[in-house]
Amino acid sequence: MSRLMLGKTLERICKAVLLLCLVHFLIMMIFYLDVYTQRFDIFSRFNTRNYSKMHQYFNISKPNGTSLTFLGGEDHFVSSRKLENNLTVTKKPLPMCPDVPQGLVGRLLIEFNSLMTMEKVQRENPDVREGGKYKPSDCIAKQRVAIIIPFRHREHHLKFWLHYLHPILRRQKINYGIYIINQHGEGMFNRAKLLNIGYMEVLKDAEYDCFVFSDVDLIPMDDRNLYHCYDQPRHFAIAMDKFGFRITLKGMKVSRPDSKIGKYRMIKHERDKHNEPNPQRFTKIQNTKVTMKQDGINSLKYKLVNVAKYPMYTNITVDIGTPPPRPSRG
Ligand code: UDP
Ligand code: MN
Protein backbone atom coordinates (compact mmCIF):
# COMPACT_ATOMS: atom_id res chain seq x y z
CA MET A 1 0.00 0.00 0.00
CA SER A 2 2.64 2.47 1.08
CA ARG A 3 4.70 1.46 -2.00
CA LEU A 4 1.79 2.29 -4.23
CA MET A 5 1.40 5.67 -2.48
CA LEU A 6 5.10 6.41 -2.93
CA GLY A 7 4.93 5.49 -6.61
CA LYS A 8 1.95 7.79 -7.21
CA THR A 9 3.62 10.67 -5.37
CA LEU A 10 6.76 10.25 -7.47
CA GLU A 11 4.67 10.17 -10.64
CA ARG A 12 2.95 13.41 -9.60
CA ILE A 13 6.25 15.10 -8.87
CA CYS A 14 7.57 14.02 -12.28
CA LYS A 15 4.46 15.34 -14.02
CA ALA A 16 4.70 18.62 -12.15
CA VAL A 17 8.34 19.02 -13.14
CA LEU A 18 7.49 18.22 -16.75
CA LEU A 19 4.65 20.72 -16.71
CA LEU A 20 6.91 23.36 -15.25
CA CYS A 21 9.47 22.71 -17.99
CA LEU A 22 6.76 23.03 -20.63
CA VAL A 23 5.44 26.28 -19.17
CA HIS A 24 8.98 27.65 -18.96
CA PHE A 25 9.61 26.67 -22.57
CA LEU A 26 6.36 28.30 -23.69
CA ILE A 27 7.15 31.53 -21.85
CA MET A 28 10.60 31.57 -23.41
CA MET A 29 9.12 31.03 -26.88
CA ILE A 30 6.57 33.83 -26.45
CA PHE A 31 9.24 36.18 -25.18
CA TYR A 32 11.58 35.25 -28.03
CA LEU A 33 8.94 35.72 -30.71
CA ASP A 34 7.71 38.97 -29.18
CA VAL A 35 11.15 40.49 -29.11
CA TYR A 36 12.40 39.28 -32.43
CA THR A 37 9.36 39.43 -34.65
CA GLN A 38 7.37 42.33 -33.32
CA ARG A 39 9.68 44.85 -31.77
CA PHE A 40 12.55 44.29 -34.15
CA ASP A 41 11.93 43.98 -37.80
CA ILE A 42 12.76 40.36 -38.45
CA PHE A 43 13.84 41.09 -42.03
CA SER A 44 16.52 43.35 -40.79
CA ARG A 45 18.40 40.36 -39.54
CA PHE A 46 18.65 39.01 -43.07
CA ASN A 47 18.56 42.03 -45.30
CA THR A 48 20.12 45.15 -43.94
CA ARG A 49 19.74 47.03 -47.23
CA ASN A 50 16.00 46.81 -47.25
CA TYR A 51 15.96 47.77 -43.64
CA SER A 52 16.78 51.40 -44.23
CA LYS A 53 14.31 51.62 -47.13
CA MET A 54 11.51 50.31 -45.01
CA HIS A 55 12.07 52.87 -42.29
CA GLN A 56 11.98 56.57 -42.06
CA TYR A 57 15.09 57.64 -40.26
CA PHE A 58 16.58 60.79 -38.98
CA ASN A 59 20.14 61.71 -38.23
CA ILE A 60 21.83 63.53 -35.46
CA SER A 61 25.26 64.35 -36.72
CA LYS A 62 28.09 64.70 -34.29
CA PRO A 63 31.07 66.99 -34.64
CA ASN A 64 33.47 64.11 -35.14
CA GLY A 65 31.90 63.25 -38.47
CA THR A 66 29.98 60.16 -37.44
CA SER A 67 26.24 60.35 -37.30
CA LEU A 68 23.79 58.61 -35.08
CA THR A 69 20.92 57.16 -37.02
CA PHE A 70 17.69 56.58 -35.17
CA LEU A 71 15.41 54.13 -36.92
CA GLY A 72 11.85 55.14 -36.43
CA GLY A 73 9.47 52.41 -37.74
CA GLU A 74 6.36 53.12 -39.75
CA ASP A 75 4.69 55.42 -37.27
CA HIS A 76 5.75 59.03 -36.85
CA PHE A 77 5.72 58.92 -33.12
CA VAL A 78 8.71 57.02 -31.84
CA SER A 79 8.47 55.91 -28.26
CA SER A 80 11.59 56.09 -26.21
CA ARG A 81 11.49 52.36 -25.61
CA LYS A 82 11.41 51.71 -29.29
CA LEU A 83 14.25 54.13 -29.72
CA GLU A 84 16.24 52.24 -27.15
CA ASN A 85 15.56 48.97 -28.87
CA ASN A 86 16.18 50.26 -32.35
CA LEU A 87 19.09 52.55 -31.68
CA THR A 88 21.95 51.75 -33.97
CA VAL A 89 25.13 53.68 -34.47
CA THR A 90 25.99 53.82 -38.13
CA LYS A 91 28.70 55.60 -40.09
CA LYS A 92 26.68 57.34 -42.75
CA PRO A 93 28.64 58.95 -45.60
CA LEU A 94 28.58 62.75 -45.33
CA PRO A 95 27.13 64.83 -48.17
CA MET A 96 29.37 67.08 -50.26
CA CYS A 97 29.56 70.67 -49.02
CA PRO A 98 27.31 73.03 -51.03
CA ASP A 99 28.95 75.42 -53.52
CA VAL A 100 27.56 78.38 -51.64
CA PRO A 101 28.00 77.71 -47.92
CA GLN A 102 25.15 78.46 -45.57
CA GLY A 103 25.81 80.66 -42.59
CA LEU A 104 28.09 83.31 -44.11
CA VAL A 105 27.59 86.75 -42.63
CA GLY A 106 28.84 89.03 -45.43
CA ARG A 107 30.57 92.28 -44.43
CA LEU A 108 32.83 92.00 -41.39
CA LEU A 109 34.08 94.49 -38.89
CA ILE A 110 37.87 94.27 -38.91
CA GLU A 111 39.96 96.19 -36.39
CA PHE A 112 43.48 95.83 -35.05
CA ASN A 113 43.30 97.84 -31.86
CA SER A 114 42.17 95.17 -29.39
CA LEU A 115 44.63 93.13 -27.39
CA MET A 116 45.26 89.89 -29.25
CA THR A 117 46.97 86.79 -27.92
CA MET A 118 47.55 83.35 -29.37
CA GLU A 119 45.77 81.86 -26.32
CA LYS A 120 42.65 83.86 -27.20
CA VAL A 121 42.81 82.64 -30.80
CA GLN A 122 43.15 79.08 -29.53
CA ARG A 123 40.19 79.46 -27.17
CA GLU A 124 38.06 80.83 -29.98
CA ASN A 125 38.90 77.93 -32.30
CA PRO A 126 38.82 74.70 -30.29
CA ASP A 127 37.95 72.55 -33.30
CA VAL A 128 41.05 73.54 -35.29
CA ARG A 129 43.48 70.61 -35.18
CA GLU A 130 47.22 70.72 -34.54
CA GLY A 131 49.16 72.47 -37.27
CA GLY A 132 46.21 74.78 -38.03
CA LYS A 133 44.17 72.17 -39.86
CA TYR A 134 40.42 72.01 -40.11
CA LYS A 135 37.72 70.25 -42.07
CA PRO A 136 33.97 70.70 -41.82
CA SER A 137 32.23 68.11 -39.65
CA ASP A 138 28.90 68.01 -41.44
CA CYS A 139 29.97 67.79 -45.10
CA ILE A 140 32.89 66.84 -47.32
CA ALA A 141 34.68 69.80 -48.87
CA LYS A 142 35.45 69.39 -52.57
CA GLN A 143 39.03 70.63 -52.23
CA ARG A 144 41.85 70.47 -49.73
CA VAL A 145 43.26 73.96 -49.48
CA ALA A 146 46.76 74.90 -48.32
CA ILE A 147 46.97 78.52 -47.23
CA ILE A 148 50.55 79.72 -47.59
CA ILE A 149 51.84 82.88 -45.91
CA PRO A 150 55.33 84.38 -46.47
CA PHE A 151 56.64 85.48 -43.12
CA ARG A 152 59.36 87.04 -41.01
CA HIS A 153 59.05 88.97 -37.73
CA ARG A 154 55.34 89.64 -38.05
CA GLU A 155 54.04 87.77 -34.98
CA HIS A 156 51.70 90.61 -34.09
CA HIS A 157 50.05 90.53 -37.52
CA LEU A 158 49.86 86.73 -37.46
CA LYS A 159 47.73 86.73 -34.29
CA PHE A 160 45.17 89.01 -35.90
CA TRP A 161 45.28 87.08 -39.16
CA LEU A 162 44.54 83.79 -37.37
CA HIS A 163 41.93 85.43 -35.15
CA TYR A 164 39.96 86.63 -38.19
CA LEU A 165 40.70 83.92 -40.73
CA HIS A 166 40.02 80.71 -38.81
CA PRO A 167 36.35 81.58 -38.13
CA ILE A 168 35.89 82.86 -41.70
CA LEU A 169 37.34 79.68 -43.22
CA ARG A 170 35.23 77.55 -40.92
CA ARG A 171 32.06 79.35 -41.99
CA GLN A 172 33.13 78.89 -45.60
CA LYS A 173 33.25 75.10 -45.01
CA ILE A 174 36.82 74.86 -46.27
CA ASN A 175 39.05 71.84 -45.62
CA TYR A 176 42.32 73.68 -44.99
CA GLY A 177 45.76 73.90 -43.41
CA ILE A 178 47.58 77.13 -42.50
CA TYR A 179 51.31 77.27 -43.35
CA ILE A 180 53.66 80.06 -42.31
CA ILE A 181 56.77 80.04 -44.47
CA ASN A 182 59.26 81.77 -42.24
CA GLN A 183 62.43 83.19 -43.77
CA HIS A 184 65.45 82.30 -41.62
CA GLY A 185 68.17 84.91 -40.95
CA GLU A 186 68.26 88.60 -41.78
CA GLY A 187 69.01 88.50 -45.49
CA MET A 188 66.88 90.30 -48.07
CA PHE A 189 63.25 89.21 -47.73
CA ASN A 190 62.12 87.22 -50.77
CA ARG A 191 58.36 86.80 -50.75
CA ALA A 192 58.05 85.08 -54.13
CA LYS A 193 60.68 82.49 -53.25
CA LEU A 194 58.96 81.77 -49.94
CA LEU A 195 55.68 81.18 -51.77
CA ASN A 196 57.35 78.73 -54.16
CA ILE A 197 59.01 76.94 -51.25
CA GLY A 198 55.69 76.88 -49.45
CA TYR A 199 54.08 75.14 -52.39
CA MET A 200 56.80 72.44 -52.36
CA GLU A 201 56.85 71.96 -48.59
CA VAL A 202 53.12 71.76 -47.85
CA LEU A 203 52.80 68.88 -50.31
CA LYS A 204 55.27 66.94 -48.15
CA ASP A 205 52.93 67.42 -45.19
CA ALA A 206 49.56 66.51 -46.71
CA GLU A 207 47.70 66.12 -49.97
CA TYR A 208 46.40 69.43 -51.25
CA ASP A 209 44.67 70.27 -54.45
CA CYS A 210 44.34 73.99 -54.02
CA PHE A 211 46.89 76.62 -52.89
CA VAL A 212 46.01 80.05 -51.64
CA PHE A 213 48.81 82.58 -51.12
CA SER A 214 48.12 85.32 -48.63
CA ASP A 215 50.05 88.12 -46.96
CA VAL A 216 50.00 88.05 -43.18
CA ASP A 217 48.65 91.59 -42.96
CA LEU A 218 45.66 91.19 -45.30
CA ILE A 219 42.24 90.34 -43.85
CA PRO A 220 39.21 89.92 -46.11
CA MET A 221 36.41 92.32 -45.21
CA ASP A 222 33.67 89.99 -46.41
CA ASP A 223 33.37 86.26 -45.78
CA ARG A 224 31.67 85.66 -49.16
CA ASN A 225 35.15 85.93 -50.70
CA LEU A 226 35.70 82.17 -50.62
CA TYR A 227 39.19 80.78 -49.94
CA HIS A 228 39.13 77.91 -52.36
CA CYS A 229 40.13 77.33 -55.97
CA TYR A 230 38.17 78.09 -59.06
CA ASP A 231 38.87 76.79 -62.57
CA GLN A 232 41.45 79.50 -63.06
CA PRO A 233 43.89 80.91 -60.50
CA ARG A 234 42.00 83.49 -58.52
CA HIS A 235 43.32 86.79 -57.34
CA PHE A 236 41.88 87.29 -53.91
CA ALA A 237 43.04 90.72 -52.95
CA ILE A 238 41.76 92.56 -55.98
CA ALA A 239 42.47 95.90 -54.40
CA MET A 240 46.15 94.95 -53.87
CA ASP A 241 47.20 94.05 -57.34
CA LYS A 242 50.92 93.41 -57.42
CA PHE A 243 51.15 89.77 -58.29
CA GLY A 244 49.03 88.79 -61.27
CA PHE A 245 51.44 89.05 -64.25
CA ARG A 246 53.04 85.67 -63.92
CA ILE A 247 49.90 83.88 -64.24
CA THR A 248 48.59 85.82 -67.24
CA LEU A 249 51.64 84.90 -69.29
CA LYS A 250 50.86 81.22 -68.84
CA GLY A 251 47.58 81.84 -70.63
CA MET A 252 45.47 81.59 -67.52
CA LYS A 253 42.96 84.11 -66.45
CA VAL A 254 42.95 85.63 -63.01
CA SER A 255 39.39 85.57 -61.82
CA ARG A 256 38.32 88.33 -59.52
CA PRO A 257 35.64 88.39 -56.91
CA ASP A 258 32.94 91.02 -57.02
CA SER A 259 34.56 94.35 -56.12
CA LYS A 260 32.26 94.71 -53.11
CA ILE A 261 33.22 91.41 -51.48
CA GLY A 262 36.86 91.41 -52.65
CA LYS A 263 37.93 94.17 -50.29
CA TYR A 264 40.74 93.59 -47.81
CA ARG A 265 41.77 95.42 -44.72
CA MET A 266 45.54 95.76 -44.43
CA ILE A 267 47.25 96.14 -41.07
CA LYS A 268 49.18 99.42 -41.24
CA HIS A 269 52.91 99.00 -40.76
CA GLU A 270 56.27 100.54 -41.44
CA ARG A 271 58.39 99.06 -44.20
CA ASP A 272 60.45 96.21 -42.71
CA LYS A 273 64.21 96.19 -42.69
CA HIS A 274 65.70 94.07 -45.50
CA ASN A 275 62.54 94.35 -47.53
CA GLU A 276 63.31 97.52 -49.44
CA PRO A 277 61.71 97.76 -52.89
CA ASN A 278 63.86 96.10 -55.50
CA PRO A 279 65.07 98.87 -57.84
CA GLN A 280 65.00 96.38 -60.72
CA ARG A 281 61.44 95.29 -60.11
CA PHE A 282 60.03 96.87 -63.27
CA THR A 283 62.74 95.41 -65.56
CA LYS A 284 62.27 92.05 -63.84
CA ILE A 285 58.55 92.10 -64.54
CA GLN A 286 59.17 93.00 -68.19
CA ASN A 287 61.55 90.04 -68.56
CA THR A 288 59.26 87.51 -66.85
CA LYS A 289 58.34 85.81 -70.13
CA VAL A 290 62.00 84.84 -70.58
CA THR A 291 63.03 84.25 -66.95
CA MET A 292 60.03 82.28 -65.72
CA LYS A 293 61.19 79.16 -67.60
CA GLN A 294 64.43 78.96 -65.57
CA ASP A 295 63.34 80.79 -62.48
CA GLY A 296 60.82 79.41 -60.02
CA ILE A 297 59.80 75.93 -58.89
CA ASN A 298 62.23 74.19 -61.30
CA SER A 299 65.34 75.82 -59.87
CA LEU A 300 64.37 76.25 -56.24
CA LYS A 301 67.36 76.09 -53.85
CA TYR A 302 66.86 76.35 -50.11
CA LYS A 303 67.53 74.60 -46.82
CA LEU A 304 64.76 73.40 -44.58
CA VAL A 305 65.61 74.64 -41.08
CA ASN A 306 62.64 73.56 -39.01
CA VAL A 307 59.02 72.43 -39.23
CA ALA A 308 56.87 73.01 -36.12
CA LYS A 309 53.20 72.26 -35.68
CA TYR A 310 51.48 74.75 -33.42
CA PRO A 311 47.81 74.54 -32.45
CA MET A 312 46.74 77.27 -34.88
CA TYR A 313 49.29 76.91 -37.73
CA THR A 314 52.30 75.04 -39.08
CA ASN A 315 55.56 76.95 -39.15
CA ILE A 316 58.12 76.06 -41.80
CA THR A 317 61.41 77.89 -41.37
CA VAL A 318 63.66 77.94 -44.43
CA ASP A 319 67.08 79.28 -45.29
CA ILE A 320 66.72 80.68 -48.80
CA GLY A 321 70.44 81.55 -49.14
CA THR A 322 71.66 84.89 -50.37
CA PRO A 323 70.36 86.28 -53.64
CA PRO A 324 72.85 86.85 -56.50
CA PRO A 325 74.31 90.36 -56.19
CA ARG A 326 72.37 93.06 -57.98
CA PRO A 327 74.34 94.38 -60.98
CA SER A 328 75.35 97.97 -60.40
CA ARG A 329 73.39 100.49 -62.41
CA GLY A 330 74.91 102.25 -65.41
N1 UDP B 1 56.61 89.93 -44.94
C1 UDP B 1 57.05 89.52 -43.69
N2 UDP B 1 58.13 90.08 -43.13
C2 UDP B 1 58.83 91.07 -43.75
C3 UDP B 1 58.38 91.51 -45.00
C4 UDP B 1 57.27 90.92 -45.57
O1 UDP B 1 56.43 88.63 -43.08
O2 UDP B 1 59.83 91.55 -43.19
C5 UDP B 1 55.47 89.23 -45.59
C6 UDP B 1 54.17 89.49 -44.92
O3 UDP B 1 53.33 88.37 -45.13
C7 UDP B 1 53.66 90.67 -45.67
C8 UDP B 1 54.08 90.33 -47.08
O4 UDP B 1 55.31 89.67 -46.93
O5 UDP B 1 52.28 90.82 -45.55
C9 UDP B 1 54.20 91.52 -47.99
O6 UDP B 1 55.17 92.43 -47.49
P1 UDP B 1 54.77 93.94 -47.09
O7 UDP B 1 53.64 93.88 -46.12
O8 UDP B 1 55.99 94.66 -46.65
O9 UDP B 1 54.29 94.53 -48.48
P2 UDP B 1 53.29 95.73 -48.73
O10 UDP B 1 52.82 96.25 -47.39
O11 UDP B 1 54.09 96.72 -49.50
O12 UDP B 1 52.18 95.13 -49.53
MN1 MN C 1 51.90 94.92 -45.94
Side-chain angles (χ1 to χ4, degrees), residues 154 157 215 217-218 242 266-270 272:
R154 296 276 193 108
H157 292 178
D215 283 355
D217 56 10
L218 287 182
K242 51 178 181 175
M266 188 170 126
I267 306 176
K268 285 205 183 77
H269 61 85
E270 309 272 306
D272 307 85

